[in-house]
Amino acid sequence: MIRILASVLLCCFCLSATPYAVAADEPGCLDCHEASENPALHAVYQTLHGNLAGGGAAACTACHGPSTAHDRRGRRIAPDISYGPKWISSLEERNGACQNCHNDGDQMLWAGSEHEQDNIACVDCHSAHQPRDPALDQTIAQAQCTSCHAQVKAQLHLPSRHPIAEGKTACTDCHNPHGSASDADLHQVTLNENCYSCHQEKRGPLLWEHEPVTEDCALCHAPHGSVHDSLLTARGPALCQQCHSAAFHPSVPYGAEGLPSGSSNRNLLGSNCSNCHSQVHGSNHPSGARLTR
Ligand code: HEC
Ligand code: HEC
Ligand code: HEC
Ligand code: HEC
Ligand code: HEC
Ligand code: HEC
Ligand code: HEC
Ligand code: HEC
Ligand code: HEC
Ligand code: HEC
């Protein structure tokens, strides 16, 4: 009797020596993967994932599978789901492990997303064994994005730009890297809704609308950056002349027709279209039909 009591006490002592509650039928992951041997591995207990399945070694199996054979043989047989460096499970298995729990909210449209189709893994951006997931740190996340998206990286340093490189706007303010229902993985259903979410004043309603503005801001603006002022895709008047004919109008001096000799034409003096048509996004002025006021 005393012996039994002693062994129970001893057992309790063992238990309290480990920082996690150890259940009787628990896998032996922590016997071999000891904290002292690999402290970096045990940083998982500083994250929300440390408590999965009740914590302790059960948490390990939440992402690596029950791994019964590996649990017995260690070095020889791979865990059920492994992310490297020694063994690598298929992409489907690795992503599937995360998706078992993260398949709603922002992650709901992962299947079929650009990143999923291009064989990107959740853990290309995320990590499980770091105290703070790198993707949740805006600076690191941006570096992750631009390490693959080199063209966007270059655009971030053009003279006119959204303050992304400056850290005031994040890639993920506009994009959902897990996929979305719109083009370019935007959070909003349309590109214009994305712009309105921060530039509310452009939404209107306006008495006099300019058709391309209500249709698609990107007809005139490059969202990441541009060599032209105000993120414009071209300089005025060329910007406007993509759609508007030069004939019979102030824009004539810019056309092939050349300058009327000796002209002091008001149109020539007001060189850029927006000098007169200053309300290019639309107007609420009773006589703003031509977007001049
Ligand atoms: C008997 C000792 C032992 C037990 C128990 C054990 N492992 Fe391992 N595990 C090892 C060894 C040894 C390695 C390293 C293999 C190598 O690098 O040669 C390893 C490697 C791993 C790896 C890395 C795989 C890779 O590709 O590098 C993971 C993940 C892992 N174990 C998870 C687990 C999980 C989860 C459990 C509990 C279900 C567990 N282990 C139980 C001994 C063990
Ligand atoms: C939230 C999911 C998750 C949990 C929980 C988890 N792992 Fe991992 N594990 C991963 C991922 C993902 C990697 C790949 C490296 C990374 O992203 O941090 C990994 C890598 C490893 C490796 C290889 C690391 C290396 O550099 O050699 C071992 C060993 C391992 N895990 C064991 C464990 C053990 C033991 C536990 C329980 C204490 C555990 N894992 C809990 C997801 C998880
Ligand atoms: C067994 C369920 C489960 C598995 C498997 C799992 N997670 Fe989680 N994860 C959670 C829970 C629960 C939370 C905390 C609540 C929440 O934010 O949803 C969480 C939180 C997170 C967070 C936010 C962390 C924070 O600090 O806010 C990230 C990122 C994440 N998980 C990524 C992953 C990735 C990547 C994998 C695969 C390697 C994975 N998870 C596997 C259940 C799981
Ligand atoms: C291309 C990089 C990338 C990939 C791939 C990726 N994520 Fe994320 N994930 C992020 C970033 C960045 C955030 C932070 C979001 C933010 O700042 O709004 C995030 C946030 C999260 C969160 C935190 C909660 C939330 O919704 O904000 C979870 C959970 C998560 N990701 C799970 C996953 C899972 C599961 C996968 C794979 C199916 C995955 N992620 C693939 C970059 C990625
Ligand atoms: C202010 C919102 C906004 C921010 C911030 C933003 N983007 Fe975009 N991004 C867009 C819009 C809008 C499009 C779609 C452009 C189009 O269809 O003409 C786009 C398109 C893309 C594309 C598709 C290819 C292309 O260039 O058209 C990629 C890749 C991309 N963005 C990556 C990024 C990365 C990486 C970051 C952070 C460094 C980022 N974006 C920041 C709004 C944004
Ligand atoms: C491991 C490389 C990698 C990382 C990291 C990465 N991407 Fe991608 N991304 C791709 C590939 C490959 C595609 C599909 C081909 C393409 O359109 O460039 C893609 C597509 C996209 C698209 C859709 C483009 C379209 O035409 O619809 C957007 C938006 C995007 N990524 C944004 C991001 C953001 C934001 C991040 C950071 C959170 C990020 N990516 C991180 C590789 C990556
Ligand atoms: C997440 C918020 C956010 C979203 C979404 C957003 N913007 Fe911006 N935008 C900003 C910020 C912040 C600035 C800088 C304002 C400043 O410096 O005063 C800015 C500035 C601008 C400028 C002026 C740039 C300059 O050089 O003066 C233009 C043009 C612009 N945005 C267009 C757009 C368009 C088009 C969209 C949709 C594709 C969009 N924005 C979406 C936050 C946003
Ligand atoms: C027909 C071309 C055109 C379209 C379409 C267009 N813009 Fe502009 N935008 C301009 C021009 C030209 C300027 C610079 C002149 C100025 O300041 O009005 C500008 C400037 C801006 C500015 C910076 C100055 C300011 O007014 O705050 C923002 C922000 C902006 N646009 C947002 C948007 C948004 C949001 C949309 C879509 C709803 C949009 N633009 C659609 C031509 C356009
Ligand atoms: C993508 C094509 C496109 C671009 C670029 C464009 N516009 Fe327009 N604009 C239109 C359309 C379409 C209408 C509506 C025409 C109609 O109602 O007959 C319009 C209408 C106008 C009107 C009012 C005409 C009327 O009859 O009331 C003015 C003024 C105008 N645009 C000026 C500009 C200026 C200035 C620029 C350059 C900053 C510009 N537009 C760029 C397509 C464009
Ligand atoms: C010097 C001032 C001025 C400049 C510069 C100017 N416009 Fe106009 N625009 C006007 C006025 C004033 C009207 C109204 C004419 C009317 O009501 O008959 C007008 C009318 C228009 C209209 C309505 C259709 C039409 O022909 O009557 C369009 C479209 C237009 N302008 C586009 C442009 C474009 C594109 C540019 C630049 C290439 C431009 N404007 C430059 C003053 C100007």
Side-chain angles (χ1 to χ4, degrees), residues 191-251:
L191 186 142
N192 273 32
E193 283 302 324
N194 168 255
C195 309
Y196 297 149
S197 71
C198 292
H199 301 286
Q200 285 124 355
E201 77 288 353
K202 297 284 185 288
R203 185 193 288 272
L206 293 155
L207 191 52
W208 308 103
E209 289 181 341
H210 190 192
E211 270 182 37
V213 176
T214 48
E215 189 185 322
D216 183 357
C217 309
L219 286 168
C220 297
H221 293 289
H224 304 126
S226 166
V227 289
H228 308 295
D229 283 351
S230 298
L231 293 167
L232 291 171
T233 50
R235 232 160 12 104
L239 175 73
C240 316
Q241 286 177 320
Q242 289 166 11
C243 299
H244 292 289
S245 145
F248 312 115
H249 183 269
S251 57

Side-chain angles (χ1 to χ4, degrees), residues 1-168:
M1 179 65 193
I2 290 177
R3 267 215 209 138
I4 295 171
L5 201 62
S7 64
V8 167
L9 279 175
L10 194 66
C11 213
C12 293
F13 180 74
C14 302
L15 287 185
S16 59
T18 37
Y20 355 90
V22 180
D25 58 345
E26 222 180 54
C29 317
L30 301 176
D31 299 342
C32 296
H33 298 286
E34 287 174 85
S36 55
E37 205 172 284
N38 198 341
L41 213 58
H42 281 249
V44 73
Y45 292 113
Q46 293 167 41
T47 74
L48 296 171
H49 288 133
N51 287 322
L52 291 180
C60 314
T61 61
C63 294
H64 293 289
S67 309
T68 320
H70 170 78
D71 203 20
R72 269 185 252 119
R73 305 284 298 277
R75 196 170 303 280
R76 297 271 180 81
I77 300 173
D80 294 347
I81 300 161
S82 198
Y83 309 79
K86 186 172 179 177
W87 297 290
I88 287 239
S89 303
S90 72
L91 184 70
E92 288 70 26
E93 284 175 308
R94 281 180 285 146
N95 284 353
C98 311
Q99 284 253 281
N100 277 340
C101 300
H102 299 292
N103 55 12
D104 54 3
D106 274 355
Q107 284 74 45
M108 193 166 66
L109 296 174
W110 172 257
S113 71
E114 286 280 346
H115 283 151
E116 194 256 358
Q117 288 186 353
D118 270 272
N119 300 329
I120 311 282
C122 309
V123 294
D124 283 344
C125 300
H126 293 288
S127 163
H129 288 277
Q130 290 181 30
R132 179 94 179 115
D133 188 306
L136 303 185
D137 178 313
Q138 198 186 308
T139 319
I140 301 175
Q142 189 184 111
Q144 285 181 333
C145 308
T146 54
S147 71
C148 290
H149 295 291
Q151 206 185 339
V152 176
K153 184 180 187 177
Q155 291 166 342
L156 301 186
H157 298 284
L158 292 173
S160 169
R161 58 191 184 236
H162 267 120
I164 302 169
E166 290 81 353
K168 289 183 194 153

